Amino acid sequence: MVDRYLSPKVKLVDMNSYPLVNKLAWKLNGLLQRLTGYAGFHEACKTMMFLYTIVRHKIEVVHSHEILTKQSRLNAVLRFLSVPIVVTDHSGYTMLRKVQDVSFIPYANKARAIIAVSEYAAKALLYGDQSGVSEQARALGQKIIASDYHTEAETLKHKELATGQDEPLTVPVATIYNGVLRHQGTLPPPEVIHQELGIAPGSFVFGMGGRGTEQKGWHYALAAYQQLKQRHPTRKFAWLCMGEGPCLTAMQHELGDTAPDIIFLGNVQNPHYYMSACRVGLVPSSFNEGLPLTIVEFFEHRVPVIASDLCGIPEVIVPANHEPGGLLIEMEEDLTPRIASLLKNMEAYVTQPELWEEHAQAALSIRKMFDVEEFVQAHEQLYTKVLFSSK
């Protein structure tokens, strides 16, 4: 993703920029782990390199996509440097809010600004989730955080160190929708890609991309897709799965060779290539979401999306003053997608070509809301404000 989004004019610094130091750090990390059980030496080296980079290049603002908590690297930066920090909350803070942990607040308040990627996220960050979260949803959220969100999991583990219960969030919160680069170059017609993948002519093709984790809802999509095929035995279908992770691995083992129409592509360098070959995109997320780039990328290729009615997702699928670019999945009480609703929406596009056409055209229009130019301008204005307030 860094390769795709970062301009060649921007200097990228990471541990690989210092290969000998990186190699030595890993060796010492392994040695210390064997001798003492401590496995954090390499991470400590990354923090030291981060501090050195800020000083060496006279960086005036640090913008992080990792949330600021007691356990995060950003807190180490604040202990030693006075550089202002801006944090983008893709879903970390809002997930902690949902599981009723506000221990992050004293540390979040040390930032100069927090960027929320949706209006929902901004309100949830400031006031909590006003819709109420069931005990089942909280249990699911804790499970998802423990398996897939390191910083947030460490915060929950150490929340007794800083309760934050009586401290309000005072840091300014700004909503800036994700900016998504458009695909450069031309793509072959969908039929050519279908032929390359062995998809039967005339197939209705669904697509789904993302981490292969429980949160992304792969097994809900699989259940709905299998039921759809049973309801329409004379129709041809295919499903392109882009991503890697435990849920996808389990699906592949479960299906074996029984479903050649479900194509596992793994992590793909150019998802646009396969998205352009899809008829409908699927985003059946559970518990919490930021603002999935996948939806915007599907929209770019005039592909409507069926997505969970969750967090900021409705702001992309059915934004104010726009026709819908897709359909929303009703949620269960535990904040998992309702399979019957997902199936109904998939069937709607299969049986109502005029509905698909309306939403495909709207998707193309909604895509303009997420162009990079406006995104960059909003960030520049925020950085200027932060720098001015820091003087």
Side-chain angles (χ1 to χ4, degrees), residues 8-26:
K9 297 177 182 178
V10 178
K11 183 176 178 64
L12 173 64
V13 180
D14 61 10
M15 288 296 282
N16 291 322
S17 304
Y18 306 94
L20 292 178
V21 174
N22 191 33
K23 185 176 180 180
L24 179 61
W26 274 123

Side-chain angles (χ1 to χ4, degrees), residues 66-260:
E66 176 187 66
I67 60 173
L68 176 53
T69 66
K70 180 178 176 61
Q71 286 72 41
S72 71
R73 185 172 290 115
L74 296 173
N75 205 34
V77 171
L78 287 171
R79 283 203 300 270
F80 297 105
L81 302 174
S82 59
V83 60
I85 290 177
V86 175
V87 175
T88 292
D89 176 28
H90 290 282
S91 65
Y93 285 143
T94 49
M95 279 198 294
L96 291 173
R97 278 279 203 191
K98 277 189 173 180
V99 296
Q100 293 186 323
D101 176 31
V102 292
S103 65
F104 66 86
I105 288 180
Y107 303 97
N109 281 337
K110 294 179 181 180
R112 296 299 178 87
I114 295 176
I115 296 172
V117 296
S118 67
E119 292 291 345
Y120 165 86
K123 291 175 182 175
L125 183 57
L126 289 166
Y127 313 114
D129 192 314
Q130 301 301 302
S131 61
V133 178
S134 69
E135 286 300 323
Q136 302 99 306
R138 272 194 287 275
L140 174 63
Q142 289 174 334
K143 181 181 176 184
I144 287 170
I145 291 171
S147 65
D148 207 32
Y149 292 88
H150 175 75
T151 300
E152 291 79 2
E154 287 297 308
T155 299
L156 284 177
K157 193 186 301 181
H158 298 94
K159 67 179 180 179
E160 69 279 359
L161 300 177
T163 62
Q165 294 290 338
D166 300 320
E167 185 168 347
L169 192 74
T170 56
V171 59
V173 177
T175 301
I176 302 177
Y177 287 126
N178 288 330
V180 184
L181 286 176
R182 289 182 177 270
H183 178 262
Q184 302 298 311
T186 57
L187 293 166
E191 295 77 18
V192 172
I193 302 173
H194 292 175
Q195 185 176 15
E196 174 194 316
L197 295 173
I199 296 173
S203 295
F204 194 104
V205 182
F206 294 95
M208 184 169 164
R211 299 188 309 277
T213 59
E214 182 176 358
Q215 182 189 7
K216 296 301 178 181
W218 292 95
H219 55 286
Y220 300 104
L222 175 62
Y225 179 76
Q226 290 175 325
Q227 290 180 39
L228 182 71
K229 289 197 299 181
Q230 291 172 359
R231 286 195 182 193
H232 301 272
T234 62
R235 292 290 302 264
K236 298 179 206 172
F237 296 102
W239 180 22
L240 303 185
C241 301
M242 296 167 273
E244 287 182 356
C247 283
L248 281 167
T249 301
M251 278 171 54
Q252 285 183 276
H253 284 280
E254 177 189 340
L255 293 170
D257 298 326
T258 63

Side-chain angles (χ1 to χ4, degrees), residues 263-282:
I263 302 170
F264 297 94
L265 297 167
N267 281 333
V268 295
Q269 295 301 312
N270 183 10
H272 290 274
Y273 184 82
Y274 300 103
M275 287 175 169
S276 68
C278 297
R279 189 77 170 165
V280 171
L282 303 177

